[in-house]
Structure formats: structure tokens, C-alpha cells
mmCIF file of all heavy atoms in Angstrom:
data_model
loop_
_atom_site.group_PDB
_atom_site.id
_atom_site.type_symbol
_atom_site.label_atom_id
_atom_site.label_comp_id
_atom_site.label_asym_id
_atom_site.label_seq_id
_atom_site.Cartn_x
_atom_site.Cartn_y
_atom_site.Cartn_z
ATOM 1 N N SER L 30 -35.628 102.104 36.238
ATOM 2 C CA SER L 30 -34.536 102.755 35.489
ATOM 3 C C SER L 30 -33.612 101.783 34.771
ATOM 4 O O SER L 30 -32.386 101.978 34.755
ATOM 5 C CB SER L 30 -33.705 103.651 36.426
ATOM 6 O OG SER L 30 -34.504 104.677 36.959
ATOM 7 N N PHE L 31 -34.170 100.724 34.193
ATOM 8 C CA PHE L 31 -33.334 99.825 33.410
ATOM 9 C C PHE L 31 -33.025 100.474 32.067
ATOM 10 O O PHE L 31 -33.931 100.904 31.358
ATOM 11 C CB PHE L 31 -34.020 98.477 33.209
ATOM 12 C CG PHE L 31 -34.147 97.686 34.474
ATOM 13 C CD1 PHE L 31 -35.382 97.493 35.067
ATOM 14 C CD2 PHE L 31 -33.016 97.157 35.085
ATOM 15 C CE1 PHE L 31 -35.501 96.779 36.241
ATOM 16 C CE2 PHE L 31 -33.125 96.438 36.262
ATOM 17 C CZ PHE L 31 -34.363 96.250 36.847
ATOM 18 N N PRO L 32 -31.763 100.556 31.693
ATOM 19 C CA PRO L 32 -31.402 101.193 30.428
ATOM 20 C C PRO L 32 -32.048 100.479 29.244
ATOM 21 O O PRO L 32 -32.171 99.245 29.235
ATOM 22 C CB PRO L 32 -29.874 101.053 30.380
ATOM 23 C CG PRO L 32 -29.458 100.810 31.794
ATOM 24 C CD PRO L 32 -30.583 100.078 32.441
ATOM 25 N N SER L 33 -32.442 101.242 28.254
ATOM 26 C CA SER L 33 -33.072 100.664 27.071
ATOM 27 C C SER L 33 -32.152 99.676 26.385
ATOM 28 O O SER L 33 -32.606 98.730 25.722
ATOM 29 C CB SER L 33 -33.478 101.772 26.091
ATOM 30 O OG SER L 33 -32.353 102.546 25.720
ATOM 31 N N GLU L 34 -30.844 99.840 26.552
ATOM 32 C CA GLU L 34 -29.870 98.930 25.949
ATOM 33 C C GLU L 34 -30.042 97.505 26.458
ATOM 34 O O GLU L 34 -29.774 96.538 25.746
ATOM 35 C CB GLU L 34 -28.454 99.434 26.246
ATOM 36 C CG GLU L 34 -27.343 98.708 25.524
ATOM 37 C CD GLU L 34 -27.324 98.970 24.016
ATOM 38 O OE1 GLU L 34 -28.018 99.915 23.571
ATOM 39 O OE2 GLU L 34 -26.627 98.235 23.304
ATOM 40 N N LEU L 35 -30.511 97.374 27.709
ATOM 41 C CA LEU L 35 -30.719 96.040 28.286
ATOM 42 C C LEU L 35 -32.044 95.429 27.866
ATOM 43 O O LEU L 35 -32.318 94.271 28.188
ATOM 44 C CB LEU L 35 -30.655 96.115 29.818
ATOM 45 C CG LEU L 35 -29.323 96.522 30.446
ATOM 46 C CD1 LEU L 35 -29.426 96.538 31.964
ATOM 47 C CD2 LEU L 35 -28.201 95.583 29.999
ATOM 48 N N LEU L 36 -32.857 96.184 27.151
ATOM 49 C CA LEU L 36 -34.192 95.716 26.775
ATOM 50 C C LEU L 36 -34.426 95.788 25.267
ATOM 51 O O LEU L 36 -35.560 95.709 24.812
ATOM 52 C CB LEU L 36 -35.262 96.557 27.487
ATOM 53 C CG LEU L 36 -35.318 96.431 29.003
ATOM 54 C CD1 LEU L 36 -36.097 97.603 29.604
ATOM 55 C CD2 LEU L 36 -35.980 95.114 29.396
ATOM 56 N N LYS L 37 -33.357 95.892 24.492
ATOM 57 C CA LYS L 37 -33.531 96.222 23.083
ATOM 58 C C LYS L 37 -34.002 95.049 22.225
ATOM 59 O O LYS L 37 -34.392 95.243 21.082
ATOM 60 C CB LYS L 37 -32.238 96.796 22.504
ATOM 61 C CG LYS L 37 -31.088 95.817 22.378
ATOM 62 C CD LYS L 37 -29.876 96.512 21.765
ATOM 63 C CE LYS L 37 -28.717 95.547 21.537
ATOM 64 N NZ LYS L 37 -27.551 96.251 20.953
ATOM 65 N N ASN L 38 -33.960 93.825 22.752
ATOM 66 C CA ASN L 38 -34.507 92.683 22.007
ATOM 67 C C ASN L 38 -35.025 91.647 23.003
ATOM 68 O O ASN L 38 -34.815 91.763 24.211
ATOM 69 C CB ASN L 38 -33.465 92.077 21.061
ATOM 70 C CG ASN L 38 -32.179 91.664 21.776
ATOM 71 O OD1 ASN L 38 -32.214 91.094 22.868
ATOM 72 N ND2 ASN L 38 -31.031 91.954 21.162
ATOM 73 N N SER L 39 -35.700 90.636 22.481
ATOM 74 C CA SER L 39 -36.340 89.647 23.359
ATOM 75 C C SER L 39 -35.305 88.838 24.133
ATOM 76 O O SER L 39 -35.554 88.445 25.289
ATOM 77 C CB SER L 39 -37.224 88.709 22.532
ATOM 78 O OG SER L 39 -36.463 88.015 21.555
ATOM 79 N N GLN L 40 -34.132 88.573 23.519
ATOM 80 C CA GLN L 40 -33.107 87.810 24.224
ATOM 81 C C GLN L 40 -32.620 88.561 25.460
ATOM 82 O O GLN L 40 -32.501 87.980 26.554
ATOM 83 C CB GLN L 40 -31.913 87.529 23.294
ATOM 84 C CG GLN L 40 -32.210 86.548 22.178
ATOM 85 C CD GLN L 40 -32.778 87.206 20.948
ATOM 86 O OE1 GLN L 40 -33.016 88.415 20.926
ATOM 87 N NE2 GLN L 40 -33.011 86.420 19.904
ATOM 88 N N ARG L 41 -32.350 89.835 25.308
ATOM 89 C CA ARG L 41 -31.867 90.626 26.444
ATOM 90 C C ARG L 41 -32.944 90.747 27.523
ATOM 91 O O ARG L 41 -32.641 90.727 28.716
ATOM 92 C CB ARG L 41 -31.404 91.996 25.963
ATOM 93 C CG ARG L 41 -30.104 91.937 25.160
ATOM 94 C CD ARG L 41 -29.542 93.309 24.869
ATOM 95 N NE ARG L 41 -28.156 93.197 24.399
ATOM 96 C CZ ARG L 41 -27.210 94.082 24.655
ATOM 97 N NH1 ARG L 41 -27.471 95.157 25.366
ATOM 98 N NH2 ARG L 41 -25.981 93.905 24.197
ATOM 99 N N LYS L 42 -34.180 90.877 27.091
ATOM 100 C CA LYS L 42 -35.275 90.998 28.055
ATOM 101 C C LYS L 42 -35.392 89.733 28.912
ATOM 102 O O LYS L 42 -35.518 89.809 30.143
ATOM 103 C CB LYS L 42 -36.582 91.264 27.313
ATOM 104 C CG LYS L 42 -37.827 91.297 28.181
ATOM 105 C CD LYS L 42 -39.035 91.662 27.340
ATOM 106 C CE LYS L 42 -40.336 91.491 28.099
ATOM 107 N NZ LYS L 42 -40.655 90.056 28.340
ATOM 108 N N ILE L 43 -35.349 88.559 28.270
ATOM 109 C CA ILE L 43 -35.424 87.303 29.020
ATOM 110 C C ILE L 43 -34.263 87.192 30.000
ATOM 111 O O ILE L 43 -34.439 86.808 31.164
ATOM 112 C CB ILE L 43 -35.434 86.101 28.058
ATOM 113 C CG1 ILE L 43 -36.755 86.049 27.285
ATOM 114 C CG2 ILE L 43 -35.210 84.792 28.815
ATOM 115 C CD1 ILE L 43 -36.753 85.047 26.138
ATOM 116 N N ALA L 44 -33.064 87.550 29.544
ATOM 117 C CA ALA L 44 -31.890 87.457 30.410
ATOM 118 C C ALA L 44 -31.971 88.428 31.583
ATOM 119 O O ALA L 44 -31.602 88.091 32.716
ATOM 120 C CB ALA L 44 -30.621 87.717 29.594
ATOM 121 N N LEU L 45 -32.464 89.639 31.337
ATOM 122 C CA LEU L 45 -32.592 90.615 32.422
ATOM 123 C C LEU L 45 -33.640 90.168 33.428
ATOM 124 O O LEU L 45 -33.443 90.298 34.650
ATOM 125 C CB LEU L 45 -32.950 91.992 31.850
ATOM 126 C CG LEU L 45 -33.130 93.122 32.865
ATOM 127 C CD1 LEU L 45 -31.906 93.277 33.749
ATOM 128 C CD2 LEU L 45 -33.463 94.436 32.150
ATOM 129 N N GLU L 46 -34.753 89.631 32.950
ATOM 130 C CA GLU L 46 -35.765 89.100 33.867
ATOM 131 C C GLU L 46 -35.181 87.996 34.731
ATOM 132 O O GLU L 46 -35.447 87.926 35.941
ATOM 133 C CB GLU L 46 -36.960 88.577 33.056
ATOM 134 C CG GLU L 46 -37.785 89.676 32.403
ATOM 135 C CD GLU L 46 -38.822 89.155 31.436
ATOM 136 O OE1 GLU L 46 -38.740 87.967 31.030
ATOM 137 O OE2 GLU L 46 -39.729 89.933 31.062
ATOM 138 N N ASP L 47 -34.381 87.138 34.119
ATOM 139 C CA ASP L 47 -33.739 86.061 34.871
ATOM 140 C C ASP L 47 -32.794 86.625 35.934
ATOM 141 O O ASP L 47 -32.765 86.139 37.071
ATOM 142 C CB ASP L 47 -32.969 85.159 33.900
ATOM 143 C CG ASP L 47 -32.250 84.030 34.595
ATOM 144 O OD1 ASP L 47 -32.896 83.007 34.879
ATOM 145 O OD2 ASP L 47 -31.036 84.168 34.878
ATOM 146 N N TYR L 48 -32.045 87.650 35.583
ATOM 147 C CA TYR L 48 -31.109 88.256 36.536
ATOM 148 C C TYR L 48 -31.862 88.839 37.732
ATOM 149 O O TYR L 48 -31.442 88.685 38.890
ATOM 150 C CB TYR L 48 -30.294 89.351 35.850
ATOM 151 C CG TYR L 48 -29.188 89.915 36.721
ATOM 152 C CD1 TYR L 48 -27.916 89.362 36.689
ATOM 153 C CD2 TYR L 48 -29.431 90.982 37.586
ATOM 154 C CE1 TYR L 48 -26.896 89.866 37.493
ATOM 155 C CE2 TYR L 48 -28.420 91.482 38.398
ATOM 156 C CZ TYR L 48 -27.156 90.916 38.343
ATOM 157 O OH TYR L 48 -26.153 91.408 39.156
ATOM 158 N N ILE L 49 -32.984 89.493 37.474
ATOM 159 C CA ILE L 49 -33.783 90.092 38.551
ATOM 160 C C ILE L 49 -34.308 89.012 39.485
ATOM 161 O O ILE L 49 -34.274 89.161 40.720
ATOM 162 C CB ILE L 49 -34.932 90.924 37.952
ATOM 163 C CG1 ILE L 49 -34.376 92.146 37.213
ATOM 164 C CG2 ILE L 49 -35.930 91.356 39.034
ATOM 165 C CD1 ILE L 49 -35.390 92.860 36.342
ATOM 166 N N ALA L 50 -34.786 87.895 38.925
ATOM 167 C CA ALA L 50 -35.278 86.801 39.767
ATOM 168 C C ALA L 50 -34.159 86.249 40.655
ATOM 169 O O ALA L 50 -34.373 85.973 41.841
ATOM 170 C CB ALA L 50 -35.861 85.691 38.893
ATOM 171 N N ARG L 51 -32.985 86.111 40.105
ATOM 172 C CA ARG L 51 -31.852 85.605 40.886
ATOM 173 C C ARG L 51 -31.432 86.616 41.959
ATOM 174 O O ARG L 51 -31.027 86.224 43.068
ATOM 175 C CB ARG L 51 -30.680 85.269 39.962
ATOM 176 C CG ARG L 51 -30.967 84.102 39.024
ATOM 177 C CD ARG L 51 -29.854 83.890 38.004
ATOM 178 N NE ARG L 51 -30.273 82.954 36.974
ATOM 179 C CZ ARG L 51 -30.170 81.636 37.057
ATOM 180 N NH1 ARG L 51 -29.623 81.090 38.149
ATOM 181 N NH2 ARG L 51 -30.581 80.856 36.079
ATOM 182 N N ALA L 52 -31.539 87.908 41.633
ATOM 183 C CA ALA L 52 -31.213 88.936 42.618
ATOM 184 C C ALA L 52 -32.202 88.903 43.782
ATOM 185 O O ALA L 52 -31.813 89.077 44.956
ATOM 186 C CB ALA L 52 -31.223 90.312 41.958
ATOM 187 N N PHE L 53 -33.477 88.693 43.480
ATOM 188 C CA PHE L 53 -34.493 88.590 44.537
ATOM 189 C C PHE L 53 -34.220 87.366 45.413
ATOM 190 O O PHE L 53 -34.322 87.431 46.645
ATOM 191 C CB PHE L 53 -35.881 88.513 43.905
ATOM 192 C CG PHE L 53 -37.016 88.697 44.874
ATOM 193 C CD1 PHE L 53 -37.455 89.968 45.219
ATOM 194 C CD2 PHE L 53 -37.665 87.610 45.429
ATOM 195 C CE1 PHE L 53 -38.516 90.138 46.111
ATOM 196 C CE2 PHE L 53 -38.719 87.762 46.317
ATOM 197 C CZ PHE L 53 -39.147 89.046 46.656
ATOM 198 N N LYS L 54 -33.867 86.238 44.780
ATOM 199 C CA LYS L 54 -33.552 85.026 45.541
ATOM 200 C C LYS L 54 -32.316 85.256 46.422
ATOM 201 O O LYS L 54 -32.285 84.828 47.592
ATOM 202 C CB LYS L 54 -33.281 83.867 44.572
ATOM 203 C CG LYS L 54 -32.806 82.577 45.233
ATOM 204 C CD LYS L 54 -33.837 82.030 46.209
ATOM 205 C CE LYS L 54 -33.517 80.614 46.640
ATOM 206 N NZ LYS L 54 -32.216 80.462 47.321
ATOM 207 N N SER L 55 -31.315 85.934 45.897
ATOM 208 C CA SER L 55 -30.125 86.230 46.687
ATOM 209 C C SER L 55 -30.474 87.112 47.883
ATOM 210 O O SER L 55 -29.953 86.907 48.996
ATOM 211 C CB SER L 55 -29.080 86.917 45.806
ATOM 212 O OG SER L 55 -27.923 87.240 46.544
ATOM 213 N N ALA L 56 -31.372 88.069 47.667
ATOM 214 C CA ALA L 56 -31.807 88.934 48.763
ATOM 215 C C ALA L 56 -32.574 88.144 49.818
ATOM 216 O O ALA L 56 -32.435 88.393 51.024
ATOM 217 C CB ALA L 56 -32.659 90.079 48.211
#
């Protein structure tokens, strides 16, 4: 359920992927 606004271009996609990886590491 990631909002399309967070995926609307390649820059946002790379940043969101990075955030998810950091969230997994934090977990």
C-alpha cells in the first residue's frame, strides 16, 4: 500500500527503497 505519490519518479523510488532497507535494519 505505498501511495503512488511516493513512486511517481525514479528518484522517489530509489529513496523509498532505501528507506525500506533502513527500516528492515532497524527492525
